[in-house]
Amino acid sequence: MAIQWFPGHMNVTKKAIIERIKEIDVVIELLDARLPGSSANPMLADLTGSRPKLKVLNKQDVADPIRTEAWLAWYNAQPNTKAIALDASETAPSQRLIKACRELVPNRGGMAKPLRVLICGIPNVGKSTLMNTLVGKKAAKTGDEAGITKIEQRINLASDFYLFDTPGMLWPKITIEKGGYNLAASGAVGRNAYDEEEVALELIQSLKGPYPELLAARYKLDNVATIPDRHEEVLLEEIGRKRGAVMGGGRVNLQKASDIILTDFRNAVMGRITLETPEAFEQWAAGAQAVEEERQRQKLLRNKKKRKTPAHDEDDSAEA
Ligand code: G4P
């Protein structure tokens, strides 16, 4: 089952971005460093066009540092794009954000041409936490300006650097199935939109290859060397059993076991983990695109057929 989730306020957000984007020099997209591909919003690329982009891999403290480096290199290789990694322990995030944005648009700056930056991110990537740090420590909050209050907030990170916060949230249609599972595992998706056991099995599938030691250590699993080859259903049962999620008759409570591993991942208690590599994500994206193209092709064929049918009927009646 592919995960789909449609939170509210999407149109307000979309409209606000379309209106604001004309006066924006750089778009900052906050990503979850544990899923730097899946937490990006493809719809944002459509809305912001060719604007220079700063990708911020947030929560780097809980992500795998080697994979974070790979993702930074991947994003940095894209046109008009820079990427940095960040986390909430950073005491002066504004300095790094300002520096990266200025590098992207060196011709703007000074009071006459302030750098205007829009910050976006899907839920749970840590945007409120970052904005609170920025507002509290560095910036003058100017969200009370007429017409701005309700829909967006502007903070001045420097006298010639304005940061606009996107109101509400922008949530993409999830076309990459594995990306949907990773988003659900991270806690970004509303609880009612997915089946916990299914997401837990996908999570185990992502973890057992690159992080068998972390699984073994957290759940006291035996035989770490064979973990990558054990089926995820077997591993979920083992995890449940080790953690006492057992029902009458000795059967493992898979719902409870799923909840345990998902909560552990969200609370980052297993260790530093990143669920995806750029190479894997590119493959998923290519697969999703092929499926989407086939879907469009089938739709076109159906429409063609539909258009033909009435004409055919007319011919029939003319003949009759
Ligand atoms: P959002 O506005 O993008 O939806 O995200 P928000 O700031 O509310 O952060 C979502 C969760 O991520 C919060 O945890 C927050 O503490 C945590 N978080 C934010 N930045 C970082 C970071 O750099 N590193 C880590 N490890 N966690 C971060 P929560 O459990 O939902 O709430 P709480 O623990 O703060 O009460």
Side-chain angles (χ1 to χ4, degrees):
M1 178 212 73
I3 290 171
Q4 271 312 331
W5 188 50
F6 300 101
H9 309 304
M10 292 268 289
N11 284 335
V12 179
T13 308
K14 215 167 149 179
K15 228 174 115 194
I17 292 179
I18 290 167
E19 267 171 32
R20 173 57 64 191
I21 198 68
K22 298 169 210 149
E23 300 157 15
I24 287 297
D25 305 304
V26 176
V27 176
I28 296 180
E29 185 173 22
L30 232 57
L31 303 172
D32 187 333
R34 297 168 306 170
L35 36 146
S38 304
S39 56
N41 191 335
M43 195 191 281
L44 190 64
D46 293 340
L47 293 178
T48 58
S50 59
R51 292 286 183 294
K53 292 176 182 61
L54 176 63
K55 305 284 181 180
V56 176
L57 274 63
N58 202 28
K59 305 191 186 184
Q60 67 157 349
D61 55 321
V62 290
D64 176 338
I66 294 171
R67 288 189 168 187
T68 298
E69 282 306 315
W71 276 104
L72 289 176
W74 189 77
Y75 273 122
N76 276 317
Q78 293 183 9
N80 243 352
T81 306
K82 260 189 91 65
I84 61 171
L86 199 69
D87 65 64
S89 70
E90 179 96 27
T91 48
S94 63
Q95 295 315 311
R96 293 193 53 212
L97 294 177
I98 290 172
K99 183 171 174 285
C101 291
R102 287 207 200 285
E103 282 169 12
L104 274 166
V105 191
N107 63 333
R108 283 205 70 99
M111 302 295 267
K113 285 196 298 178
L115 195 56
R116 298 150 310 175
V117 176
L118 182 72
I119 187 162
C120 313
I122 65 164
N124 204 43
V125 289
K127 187 153 74 83
S128 316
T129 307
L130 177 63
M131 290 304 284
N132 284 342
T133 310
L134 294 173
V135 172
K137 297 251 173 76
K138 285 278 159 206
K141 185 176 168 184
T142 58
D144 287 338
E145 276 176 38
I148 288 183
T149 324
K150 286 202 183 68
I151 58 161
E152 66 181 15
Q153 185 187 74
R154 186 186 102 187
I155 57 175
N156 300 349
L157 291 188
S159 57
D160 63 345
F161 192 107
Y162 304 162
L163 184 68
F164 294 91
D165 188 9
T166 11
M169 61 171 95
L170 197 61
W171 188 259
K173 180 172 177 237
I174 299 171
T175 53
I176 298 176
E177 193 167 316
K178 186 69 180 172
Y181 287 121
N182 288 352
L183 284 164
S186 79
V189 178
R191 173 65 198 86
N192 292 332
Y194 59 89
D195 176 75
E196 268 197 324
E197 193 179 321
E198 205 174 339
V199 174
L201 289 171
E202 289 288 337
L203 176 62
I204 293 172
Q205 200 254 339
S206 299
L207 298 178
K208 68 178 188 174
Y211 306 111
E213 294 87 2
L214 298 184
L215 279 173
R218 178 73 190 163
Y219 303 111
K220 305 193 169 43
L221 302 180
D222 306 317
N223 253 330
V224 61
T226 66
I227 286 179
D229 301 322
R230 273 149 53 197
H231 197 279
E232 30 290 358
E233 285 182 15
V234 172
L235 287 167
L236 184 61
E237 275 213 40
E238 284 180 46
I239 289 167
R241 211 168 283 287
K242 292 280 181 180
R243 294 294 293 269
V246 181
M247 302 184 290
R251 278 184 45 230
V252 172
N253 182 336
L254 293 174
Q255 173 67 32
K256 204 163 169 193
S258 302
D259 187 53
I260 288 170
I261 188 164
L262 287 174
T263 305
D264 282 353
F265 175 67
R266 286 169 193 159
N267 292 335
V269 292
M270 276 184 253
R272 299 182 71 170
I273 287 169
T274 301
L275 295 180
E276 36 194 60
T277 60
E279 296 73 29
F281 186 74
E282 276 177 353
Q283 272 183 19
W284 303 339
Q289 195 179 336
V291 170
E292 181 59 22
E293 279 168 10
E294 178 56 21
R295 207 179 61 83
Q296 291 297 339
R297 205 179 66 84
Q298 294 293 343
K299 198 172 152 190
L300 267 175
L301 277 177
R302 276 199 307 276
N303 286 345
K304 239 184 190 170
K305 239 182 183 171
K306 258 191 216 156
R307 276 200 303 275
K308 266 191 180 162
T309 313
H312 185 70
D313 289 349
E314 268 172 35
D315 288 353
D316 286 348
S317 59
E319 273 169 30

